[in-house]
Amino acid sequence: MKAEGHPDYHMITVKMTDGTEFQTRSTWGSEGDVLALEIDPKTHPAWTGGRQQVQEGGRVAAFNKRFGGLSLKK
């Protein structure tokens, strides 16, 4: 293994949105840095099962709204 081909791993502290912290090895930042998360599994609806935003209509509905009155009949 070439030594210069691998990133430098070091210990950082990860701070969750609720204030809890844990230490892990990472290539982010430098030794002893704190990574403060804005979104994490404790708060994001994708992990918590909370309400998801549903786009009303979507692209097909927008197309039908714009071109719904057109017809191919002769």
Side-chain angles (χ1 to χ4, degrees), residues 9-64:
Y9 284 98
H10 45 271
M11 294 300 289
I12 65 165
T13 302
V14 178
K15 185 174 183 181
M16 306 289 267
T17 55
D18 66 352
T20 59
E21 297 179 351
F22 65 92
Q23 289 196 340
T24 187
R25 288 173 39 101
S26 176
T27 59
W28 179 86
S30 56
E31 182 78 29
D33 282 352
V34 176
L35 174 63
L37 299 178
E38 296 177 6
I39 299 174
D40 65 19
K42 293 181 179 181
T43 60
H44 196 276
W47 289 287
T48 61
R51 181 184 163 125
Q52 297 179 358
Q53 293 180 345
V54 177
Q55 183 182 18
E56 291 187 21
R59 296 183 68 73
V60 174
F63 178 85
N64 289 335

